[in-house]
Amino acid sequence: QLANGINRIIAPEVVLPGGDLTNGPTIGSGPWSMEEYKRESIRFERNLAYYETGVSGLAGLEILAIPDSSTRIAAILTGRVDLTPLDVNAYSQLKGNSASLTIQKFPEQGTGAVFVFNTVRAPFDQVDLRRAVLHGIDPWSAIDKVSYGIGDVSMGSPVLDLDWLLSKDHMKGYLGNQYEAKKLLLENGESTPIAFSLKVADYGDIYLNLADEYKEMLDGVGFSVDIETLNPRSYVEDLWQGGEFQAFFGPVPPVDNPNAYLFGLLHSEGRWNITGNVDVTLDELIEKQAITQADRKEIVLDIQEHVMDQALMFMPVTGTRIWAWNGRVSGFHPNVVASEYYYWARLKDGGDFR
């Protein structure tokens, strides 16, 4: 786990006197020096001795703890803060109503909700029926209708950069084609509608509303979907631990780096591989990407293609962080894979407070 951004190697003699680092000493070699720590804020200043020229891009950075969404909105509108995260409600309030702000959505790959098939249980022991389900679902339409367009669509794995993901056009080769869905069901030869149970984790209205959208889409191509809602405890015990499902839709276990996702959820011997799929080709690709540097990106793309082609699982709505900032902010490009936070050091002063 040393590749995780929140982990650091610390000399034991620093920790032993107090048992932890709550009261310091705060020692490091990063681009920032912590100048002040309070319960409600942390203030950093540029580390002038940092080895990389021009980093950090700001002379100082102050992070305020503002838990209330409406207070954060007021703070960004009045200039109390220059940059703030938004929740869905705040996004709907500010979108199109504040010319002084830049508002962008940043997908957080590896977080979100997955649609998973049990590949050893009828009817989804047949790959063509799994493919028909994927073609029957238009996840982009569902995102637009249910969550203000907030969210992306992917195979699901965290990646090191966005160009490691299959493009939207590529993903559309597997998803959202009702003609292809109906064709696959017809060629399969089974009488329609084909019934199955879709178990859905009740983590809030967005999950339930998205599931209803998927049901309507799938019922329209020749399936008969029975939605069964599970509370969070049953979702974990019945599905992730018990494997009692034909298909389900719900949040993915917390994984924040590519290997944790690929080995944990997709490898045949993975701890969280609940599809029942045993795939030597996929296992070899997963193992190969973990030990290579030169062509790792291409292998990760091949893994995504293989998973989508075999219709094992996918993420119809990724986690997404929404940020708003004013004209003083420049160079904000967050990538939080593996809990990384170095992007804060790349921030620059835009010099324009409108």
Side-chain angles (χ1 to χ4, degrees):
Q1 290 296 317
L2 289 178
N4 190 297
I6 65 175
N7 292 331
R8 294 292 182 265
I9 298 174
I10 300 173
E13 58 268 23
V14 176
V15 181
L16 288 174
D20 57 37
L21 297 177
T22 302
N23 298 312
T26 305
I27 302 171
S29 58
W32 301 104
S33 296
M34 188 172 72
E35 294 301 309
E36 184 179 48
Y37 176 83
K38 298 179 181 178
R39 184 179 181 87
E40 67 277 4
S41 66
I42 305 176
R43 183 164 57 85
F44 300 95
E45 291 187 2
R46 177 188 289 142
N47 178 4
L48 297 177
Y50 191 61
Y51 73 94
E52 187 174 350
T53 304
V55 179
S56 64
L58 297 175
L61 175 68
E62 184 177 12
I63 299 177
L64 306 180
I66 307 177
D68 181 67
S69 175
S70 59
T71 305
R72 290 197 300 271
I73 292 175
I76 189 72
L77 291 176
T78 60
R80 174 68 181 87
V81 300
D82 301 306
L83 174 70
T84 187
L86 303 177
D87 60 20
V88 172
N89 292 330
Y91 173 76
S92 66
Q93 292 178 47
L94 291 179
K95 182 184 178 184
N97 295 323
S98 183
S100 64
L101 298 178
T102 298
I103 301 175
Q104 287 190 17
K105 296 172 287 186
F106 298 93
E108 296 186 337
Q109 303 299 329
T111 69
V114 285
F115 196 111
V116 180
F117 298 96
N118 189 334
T119 66
V120 295
R121 184 172 176 180
F124 297 126
D125 52 348
Q126 301 181 61
V127 64
D128 280 345
L129 294 185
R130 302 197 301 269
R131 290 169 176 158
V133 169
L134 296 193
H135 281 299
I137 294 175
D138 183 345
W140 297 277
S141 174
I143 289 171
D144 288 341
K145 187 172 181 179
V146 172
S147 61
Y148 303 100
I150 299 170
D152 204 354
V153 179
S154 73
M155 184 275 282
S157 173
V159 291
L160 299 183
D161 210 339
L162 293 180
D163 64 355
W164 290 43
L165 293 170
L166 295 180
S167 68
K168 183 176 180 179
D169 286 342
H170 204 137
M171 290 292 289
K172 283 188 172 182
Y174 303 105
L175 299 161
N177 186 333
Q178 291 197 339
Y179 172 81
E180 186 65 23
K182 293 176 181 178
K183 178 183 175 184
L184 285 167
L185 293 183
L186 182 64
E187 292 174 349
N188 183 265
E190 293 195 22
S191 59
T192 56
I194 296 175
F196 72 91
S197 169
L198 176 63
K199 295 189 175 182
V200 180
D202 186 0
Y203 281 84
D205 289 344
I206 189 169
Y207 288 90
L208 304 181
N209 293 340
L210 283 170
D212 286 339
E213 288 296 312
Y214 304 152
K215 170 181 167 55
E216 183 177 346
M217 294 172 180
L218 293 171
D219 286 352
V221 299
F223 289 98
S224 177
V225 182
D226 176 38
I227 291 181
E228 181 181 347
T229 304
L230 300 180
N231 62 48
R233 179 174 179 177
S234 296
Y235 173 68
V236 173
E237 292 179 351
D238 295 354
L239 303 187
W240 288 100
Q241 295 176 357
E244 292 298 321
F245 69 98
Q246 292 175 296
F248 77 79
F249 172 66
V252 71
V255 285
D256 55 12
N257 63 77
N259 279 338
Y261 194 100
L262 297 175
F263 279 97
L265 275 73
L266 292 170
H267 195 280
S268 298
E269 298 180 4
R271 177 185 178 187
W272 298 110
N273 179 5
I274 57 173
T275 67
N277 182 62
V278 177
D279 189 325
V280 174
T281 299
L282 181 58
D283 291 347
E284 290 176 348
L285 286 170
I286 291 172
E287 292 162 9
K288 185 178 180 181
Q289 65 80 36
I291 58 174
T292 188
Q293 282 281 357
D295 56 349
R296 189 182 185 194
K297 172 183 172 181
E298 286 69 30
I299 298 172
V300 169
L301 288 168
D302 288 343
I303 290 171
Q304 294 171 69
E305 286 196 37
H306 188 87
V307 171
M308 295 302 299
D309 177 66
Q310 293 300 303
L312 303 177
M313 60 187 296
F314 81 112
M315 189 172 281
V317 55
T318 64
T320 298
R321 189 69 61 89
I322 312 167
W323 289 90
W325 61 90
N326 60 31
R328 292 182 61 187
V329 176
S330 175
F332 184 61
H333 305 290
N335 183 355
V336 297
V337 171
S339 298
E340 190 51 72
Y341 48 84
Y342 189 73
Y343 56 88
W344 290 110
R346 300 292 187 186
L347 277 179
K348 295 182 180 180
D349 188 342
D352 177 23
F353 184 69
R354 291 168 286 177

